[in-house]
Structure formats: structure tokens, C-alpha cells
Amino acid sequence: MQTDILIIGGGLAGLSLAVRLAERGADFRLLEARDRLGGRILTERHGDGQFDMGPAWFWPGQPRIADMIDRLGLLAFDQHWQGAVLFEDPHGQIQRGRGFASMQGSYRLDGGMGALIAALAGQLPPDRIQLAHPIRGLERIPDGVTAIGPDGQAHKAKRVVLALPPRLAAELCLVPSLPTEVLEKMRGVATWMAGQAKAVALYDRPFWREQGLSGDAISQRGPLAEIHDASPARGEPYALFGFLGLPPQSRQDKPGLRDAIAGQLARIFGPEATQPQKIALKDWAFDAFTSTDLDLQPLRAHPTYELPPELDGLWNGRLIFGGTEVAPDFGGYLEGALEAAEGALTSIDR
């Protein structure tokens, strides 16, 4: 297969870049390692509700995603925040009304962020997208780059956009190999969300709201460290979700983890939380298309992201980074994925 522009990665960055190229009538192809589009955006359906197991929010002051949602005719709604916040100390003692709802002012998307991915994919010719096709290596050739697929299939392009975390790109077989200092810089860019795990507990009614609670809770005991209301914009099932505070190595016993989560929710929100319809789990630390061994320690703060100078103009400008971790202003966020796609487009036009 031969094309002008090859996009590796079908998350929000890769898809938004593909849509921009399609609008231009450019010759491009998009390859995605997973059997689905979306990357770290993963929305699962449970009953009549959709629940984000990856990123779920965007915020005021993020114009790209707000404009995209508006143009695609999707519906945003306010994150539920009204009510008291709970705090659990290391001994399991619960305090009510401590702190504030940390997600107040944030927005979610009706149908989950997966609705955004589906809408973008619907704007692309299906024959430009190939799923379940992880790239194993890249080789520089005189007139461009050859990408090698899992079956040895060669994809030749004038330019390749890596719409994925730099750490994953550093795992590819690169011929010729990049300089050591460039590979070290790639490995040094922390992959946002890669060390995280998320749990969603489903219920037939939002009993916490009936108790005057927002659904927000902070726990120093765990296993969930931070909890929020994850209910859909309308209808059931209602939900609470939380980020696991345990290190990845301590959260591999899924049945035991679900029992511990149910017990914690009962401690914090009362006996009605004891028997959820279901507890859905997604551990990104063990997702091979998101995380590397370097990501097994979850981030405790938001890194400062940008495109390191060492990664700009590689292979005479034919190898372009275009994932959210290289966005200068909103790196790590969904807005950053769109910002990075804009940067990749600028590099293509050089």
C-alpha cells in the first residue's frame, strides 16, 4: 500500500487529523492497532447507558473540542456536582461536607466520548482506515518512510504521523535507529493516563443524590482514591466511578478488587451501595497499546507537555509526532489531542 500521508493511531488526534486531510482531498491512510477506534477514549454500554472508561471530561476554555462537538451536533452536559462531598480517612472514618466538588464546571458528552469518535469516523471513507493492524517498525527510504505491519505488509508513505504516545513510538523497530538522545527523550515523555485504572459501579437509582450528596469523595483508605458521579445525562443505570489508588502490581486480582470496591462504596455512601448491578473495570497500565513498563507508576501530577526540539523534523521532516503528549498548551487532555493534530498538519504543510 502506498499513500502520501500515513497516520499511525486512531485515537482522537489521529481521527481529527484524518478528517482535516479528507476535507482537503489529501491522499492518506490511517492504521490502528486495536480492533476499534478511539485509543484511550473507550465508552462501554451497560444497559441503556454509556460509560467512559477513559477520558470523560472537557472544560471551559478548551475551544477546539467545544467547537468540534458543536459542529458534529453532539450534546454536552454539566458534570453532576450539587451536594455534599465526602472524605474517608485512613481508618475508614467518613466526614461529610469536607472540600468541594472538584469536577464542578466540567462537561461530559451525552453518549460518552465514544459518540465523538463515532461521529468523526463517520466522516471518513471506510477504505482509508485499517483496524487491528499494529505497526512493528518504520524504515526510512529515499522518498519517504515504509511502515511494517504485523504480517510483514509494507505501507509506503511520503510522511508518517505518529498519533500515539512517544514512549510507544520508541518501542518500534526504527531503521536507521534514531540517536540515543532522541530515544531517551521519547521515553522520557510520560504517557498521560497510562498508569491509571478506573472502576464504574452501576445502580438502578442515584441514592447518593437523594441523600444530598454530590457523588464526589476522596479516600485515604481505598482502593478508590477519588470518586465522582458518572451517571448518564438522562436515564439509568446511574453510576459512581473512581480512580484506583493502588499501584498496578496490586490490582490484578479482579474479583477481589471488585469486592473491595463494593465494600468501600458501602462505607462511604451507605448500605445501598453494597450491591451494585455491576462493577466495570479498565486498567490502562496493562493495555499494550497504551502503556509501557515505564508507565507502571501512575502520575501524581499533570506533566508539562510539548514537542521536545529533539523530536521535531526527524528523518528530514518525514516522521511527525501528533499525539496529545506533544501539545504545548493542553497536553494530555482531549483538547491537547486536537491541538497536536493541528501541529501535525502544520508540519505536513512545511
Side-chain angles (χ1 to χ4, degrees):
M1 186 271 286
Q2 188 156 357
T3 188
D4 284 348
I5 303 159
L6 182 64
I7 303 169
I8 300 177
L12 181 57
L15 280 173
S16 60
L17 175 60
V19 169
R20 298 280 289 273
L21 293 173
E23 291 171 348
R24 292 180 168 193
D27 179 26
F28 73 92
R29 294 292 186 276
L30 185 152
L31 303 179
E32 167 55 44
R34 297 177 172 91
D35 60 1
R36 61 171 181 84
L37 294 170
R40 281 167 276 183
I41 292 178
L42 173 61
T43 302
E44 295 183 351
R45 174 179 286 276
H46 299 286
D48 293 329
Q50 290 85 27
F51 301 91
D52 285 311
M53 305 306 294
W57 298 300
F58 69 102
W59 287 265
Q62 297 183 340
R64 296 171 184 85
I65 191 164
D67 178 66
M68 177 175 284
I69 287 170
D70 183 63
R71 286 189 292 107
L72 294 172
L74 302 174
L75 177 65
F77 66 99
D78 292 335
Q79 165 70 30
H80 180 78
W81 61 269
Q82 297 89 345
V85 177
L86 300 179
F87 175 81
E88 182 182 37
D89 71 16
H91 307 290
Q93 298 298 311
I94 309 300
Q95 300 178 35
R96 179 178 175 131
R98 177 167 172 169
F100 62 95
S102 59
M103 290 301 116
Q104 181 178 350
S106 62
Y107 302 119
R108 292 171 52 210
L109 198 59
D110 191 14
M113 288 298 169
L116 177 61
I117 296 301
L120 288 172
Q123 297 190 334
L124 296 173
D127 62 353
R128 301 291 185 95
I129 300 172
Q130 188 169 353
L131 300 179
H133 199 80
I135 292 301
R136 304 303 187 195
L138 299 172
E139 180 179 357
R140 183 177 178 179
I141 56 177
D143 57 347
V145 178
T146 296
I148 306 301
D151 54 0
Q153 181 181 358
H155 305 269
K156 295 183 178 180
K158 295 179 181 177
R159 292 181 179 87
V160 169
V161 177
L162 297 168
L164 43 76
R167 280 181 174 171
L168 286 182
E171 303 257 304
L172 298 174
C173 177
L174 302 171
V175 180
S177 180
L178 295 172
T180 300
E181 60 270 21
V182 174
L183 291 172
E184 289 179 351
K185 184 63 69 170
M186 292 164 66
R187 296 184 183 111
V189 179
T191 302
W192 182 244
M193 206 181 75
Q196 294 288 347
K198 189 171 181 178
V200 178
L202 308 177
Y203 298 95
D204 60 4
R205 42 186 277 272
F207 53 84
W208 54 95
R209 298 183 186 178
E210 298 164 9
Q211 300 168 18
L213 301 175
S214 65
D216 270 42
I218 299 296
S219 172
Q220 293 184 339
R221 180 174 178 178
L224 301 178
E226 178 184 341
I227 301 169
H228 302 282
D229 189 313
S231 304
R234 54 187 178 274
E236 59 176 288
Y238 299 90
L240 294 167
F241 89 85
F243 295 105
L244 273 294
L246 302 172
Q249 297 81 0
S250 301
R251 58 190 193 218
Q252 298 187 60
D253 175 9
K254 296 302 188 289
L257 189 56
R258 286 185 171 91
D259 289 343
I261 289 170
Q264 179 188 18
L265 293 175
R267 289 196 311 269
I268 294 176
F269 294 100
E272 289 181 282
T274 304
Q275 295 293 332
Q277 297 174 5
K278 181 176 184 177
I279 295 179
L281 294 170
K282 173 59 180 176
D283 197 329
W284 293 97
F286 299 102
D287 186 318
F289 298 128
T290 296
S291 184
T292 71
D293 289 345
L294 295 172
D295 297 304
L296 290 180
Q297 183 61 43
L299 297 174
R300 300 303 180 188
H302 200 107
T304 299
Y305 285 124
E306 62 181 349
L307 178 65
E310 295 88 343
L311 306 189
D312 190 20
L314 293 176
W315 286 358
N316 199 29
R318 297 186 182 277
L319 194 59
I320 299 167
F321 285 85
T324 187
E325 283 80 11
V326 302
D329 296 319
F330 294 96
Y333 296 105
L334 299 175
E335 180 78 2
L338 302 179
E339 184 185 12
E342 288 180 358
L345 194 63
T346 299
S347 296
I348 290 169
D349 289 339
R350 286 178 187 169

